[in-house]
Each structure stands twice: as C-alpha cells, then as structure tokens.
Amino acid sequence: MKALSVLPLALLGLAACASTTETNPSRTATEQLLLSRAADRAVEGLILPIPAGSRVFVDETYFKAESAPYALSAIRGALSEAGYAIAPNKAEADAVMEVRAGALSLEQMRRVVGLPEMRVPINESLNVVSIPELSIYSRRDRIGVAEFSGFLYEPRTGAPLGAVLPMTGDFRIRSHKVLMIVSWGQQTVDPGERDPGDSWRQF
C-alpha cells in the first residue's frame, strides 16, 4: 500500500521535469510584416536631385523608430536600385542624405454594428468590468504606415543640394465578422514568396 501511495508522487515528479519556453516579442509576425511592407512601399521610385552614379552616405543619426534598421536598409536598397552608390562614410561621399522618420507604426480601425467592447466602472474606486462585443457585423482594419523624409548636403562644405519630400507608404489587411462567429477576409500577412532558384535580380 505504501508503494502504491508513493507511485503517483513519483510520476508527478517525472512529469514536472520538462518544460517549454516560448518567447513573446513586442510585435507579432503580422505586425512586423505590416511595417516592413509599408516601408518598402514608401521608398518605391526614390530619386534624388543629383546625378545617377553619385556616392551617397545615408546619415541615420536622427532616424528614430522601432523598426528603423529595416526601414534604413529599404532606403539604401532603393538608392542602389535608382543607380546611386552607397558611400561607407561622409568622407567618401558626394552627398549626404540625412533621413528622418515621420511615422513607422501601426493603425487599427474597427467598425461595429451593435455594441463594441466596453470597460465600465463599477464602484467609486474606478474598478472596471469588461463587457464583450455584442455585434451583428464588425470590420477590422490593421494598417502599417510609413513616412520618411530628409535633405541632401555636400559633405565637405555643408552646402544644400536638395530636399527629399515625404515618402509615404501603407499596407492594409481587412477582416469581417458576422454575428461574432462567421469570419472572412485577410486575417494575417503571409511572408513573401519567390520562384525556386530566383533569389535575386539585377538592378
């Protein structure tokens, strides 16, 4: 009997020996893709008021955003595609492009036919209770928004060479729901796909 009473405890100890750790990043994969697609769209067709082939140094000192590394790489990629050379520093550049981020974030819009989700205070201490959505129809839009701008100057003299007007881009996914059960429309952003063996293209 003693052996039988000890057996469940031993099994419980064995079951507790293994665990799985999952990371929780600040952005979901869909949110990251919304931002990256918006950044790519913002820099499409980027042209500078200097001759093609000029060496450009991208000054990122004042470019502050959560997804700044991707956006800055997208800007450099657009310059390369437009025929400019990327200079490694100001001393080797024909022009310095100082860039800044007006926006690089997410918007969310929800339209509800019925009662939206609400938080209602229930006492003088302002404790609240959540009331779930009670809707006939709802539509949700999640939008990645990017806006970049900047200016150009001559690296040795600081003389102005021109301005980079705001470059804007957005990427949206939309979903619908009826009676809080039936859903359709795009729910997530799928990663980009390419044909096998076609991993690059020439500028």
mmCIF file of all heavy atoms in Angstrom, residues 118-123 126-131:
data_model
loop_
_atom_site.group_PDB
_atom_site.id
_atom_site.type_symbol
_atom_site.label_atom_id
_atom_site.label_comp_id
_atom_site.label_asym_id
_atom_site.label_seq_id
_atom_site.Cartn_x
_atom_site.Cartn_y
_atom_site.Cartn_z
ATOM 1 N N MET A 118 -16.587 47.180 -24.232
ATOM 2 C CA MET A 118 -16.540 48.343 -23.346
ATOM 3 C C MET A 118 -15.965 47.961 -21.998
ATOM 4 O O MET A 118 -16.029 46.810 -21.575
ATOM 5 C CB MET A 118 -17.950 48.925 -23.151
ATOM 6 C CG MET A 118 -18.572 49.502 -24.400
ATOM 7 S SD MET A 118 -20.201 50.225 -24.072
ATOM 8 C CE MET A 118 -21.151 48.735 -23.733
ATOM 9 N N ARG A 119 -15.407 48.968 -21.319
ATOM 10 C CA ARG A 119 -14.941 48.820 -19.938
ATOM 11 C C ARG A 119 -15.748 49.791 -19.092
ATOM 12 O O ARG A 119 -15.669 51.007 -19.283
ATOM 13 C CB ARG A 119 -13.441 49.100 -19.848
ATOM 14 C CG ARG A 119 -12.603 48.075 -20.619
ATOM 15 C CD ARG A 119 -11.134 48.478 -20.675
ATOM 16 N NE ARG A 119 -10.515 48.514 -19.358
ATOM 17 C CZ ARG A 119 -10.007 47.453 -18.745
ATOM 18 N NH1 ARG A 119 -10.049 46.259 -19.341
ATOM 19 N NH2 ARG A 119 -9.449 47.559 -17.560
ATOM 20 N N VAL A 120 -16.502 49.267 -18.147
ATOM 21 C CA VAL A 120 -17.459 50.067 -17.376
ATOM 22 C C VAL A 120 -17.037 50.100 -15.911
ATOM 23 O O VAL A 120 -16.816 49.049 -15.298
ATOM 24 C CB VAL A 120 -18.878 49.472 -17.499
ATOM 25 C CG1 VAL A 120 -19.874 50.314 -16.701
ATOM 26 C CG2 VAL A 120 -19.297 49.384 -18.957
ATOM 27 N N PRO A 121 -16.892 51.323 -15.326
ATOM 28 C CA PRO A 121 -16.573 51.398 -13.890
ATOM 29 C C PRO A 121 -17.742 50.887 -13.058
ATOM 30 O O PRO A 121 -18.910 51.149 -13.359
ATOM 31 C CB PRO A 121 -16.328 52.896 -13.666
ATOM 32 C CG PRO A 121 -17.019 53.585 -14.785
ATOM 33 C CD PRO A 121 -16.969 52.643 -15.953
ATOM 34 N N ILE A 122 -17.416 50.163 -11.980
ATOM 35 C CA ILE A 122 -18.474 49.541 -11.180
ATOM 36 C C ILE A 122 -18.523 50.058 -9.737
ATOM 37 O O ILE A 122 -19.446 49.712 -8.995
ATOM 38 C CB ILE A 122 -18.318 48.006 -11.166
ATOM 39 C CG1 ILE A 122 -16.937 47.616 -10.615
ATOM 40 C CG2 ILE A 122 -18.549 47.430 -12.546
ATOM 41 C CD1 ILE A 122 -16.763 46.117 -10.461
ATOM 42 N N ASN A 123 -17.547 50.878 -9.339
ATOM 43 C CA ASN A 123 -17.597 51.433 -7.982
ATOM 44 C C ASN A 123 -16.819 52.732 -7.932
ATOM 45 O O ASN A 123 -16.255 53.183 -8.940
ATOM 46 C CB ASN A 123 -17.057 50.421 -6.955
ATOM 47 C CG ASN A 123 -15.666 49.921 -7.302
ATOM 48 O OD1 ASN A 123 -14.848 50.677 -7.830
ATOM 49 N ND2 ASN A 123 -15.391 48.660 -7.012
ATOM 50 N N LEU A 126 -13.150 53.177 -9.086
ATOM 51 C CA LEU A 126 -12.936 53.099 -10.529
ATOM 52 C C LEU A 126 -12.478 51.721 -10.977
ATOM 53 O O LEU A 126 -11.775 51.592 -11.990
ATOM 54 C CB LEU A 126 -11.936 54.170 -10.997
ATOM 55 C CG LEU A 126 -12.369 55.622 -10.759
ATOM 56 C CD1 LEU A 126 -11.299 56.580 -11.264
ATOM 57 C CD2 LEU A 126 -13.697 55.919 -11.443
ATOM 58 N N ASN A 127 -12.820 50.693 -10.224
ATOM 59 C CA ASN A 127 -12.628 49.339 -10.739
ATOM 60 C C ASN A 127 -13.581 49.129 -11.912
ATOM 61 O O ASN A 127 -14.710 49.624 -11.902
ATOM 62 C CB ASN A 127 -12.912 48.301 -9.658
ATOM 63 C CG ASN A 127 -11.894 48.363 -8.532
ATOM 64 O OD1 ASN A 127 -10.721 48.621 -8.769
ATOM 65 N ND2 ASN A 127 -12.346 48.151 -7.304
ATOM 66 N N VAL A 128 -13.117 48.421 -12.892
ATOM 67 C CA VAL A 128 -13.906 48.286 -14.121
ATOM 68 C C VAL A 128 -14.175 46.825 -14.430
ATOM 69 O O VAL A 128 -13.452 45.933 -13.990
ATOM 70 C CB VAL A 128 -13.188 48.949 -15.322
ATOM 71 C CG1 VAL A 128 -13.009 50.432 -15.110
ATOM 72 C CG2 VAL A 128 -11.847 48.273 -15.600
ATOM 73 N N VAL A 129 -15.235 46.612 -15.183
ATOM 74 C CA VAL A 129 -15.552 45.293 -15.682
ATOM 75 C C VAL A 129 -15.639 45.383 -17.201
ATOM 76 O O VAL A 129 -16.117 46.375 -17.748
ATOM 77 C CB VAL A 129 -16.882 44.769 -15.087
ATOM 78 C CG1 VAL A 129 -18.045 45.681 -15.465
ATOM 79 C CG2 VAL A 129 -17.150 43.350 -15.538
ATOM 80 N N SER A 130 -15.129 44.370 -17.887
ATOM 81 C CA SER A 130 -15.135 44.355 -19.345
ATOM 82 C C SER A 130 -16.400 43.686 -19.858
ATOM 83 O O SER A 130 -16.736 42.571 -19.441
ATOM 84 C CB SER A 130 -13.901 43.626 -19.885
ATOM 85 O OG SER A 130 -12.726 44.315 -19.547
ATOM 86 N N ILE A 131 -17.074 44.379 -20.771
ATOM 87 C CA ILE A 131 -18.260 43.829 -21.425
ATOM 88 C C ILE A 131 -17.857 43.438 -22.841
ATOM 89 O O ILE A 131 -17.369 44.282 -23.596
ATOM 90 C CB ILE A 131 -19.403 44.851 -21.454
ATOM 91 C CG1 ILE A 131 -19.794 45.232 -20.027
ATOM 92 C CG2 ILE A 131 -20.611 44.297 -22.206
ATOM 93 C CD1 ILE A 131 -20.866 46.289 -19.946
#
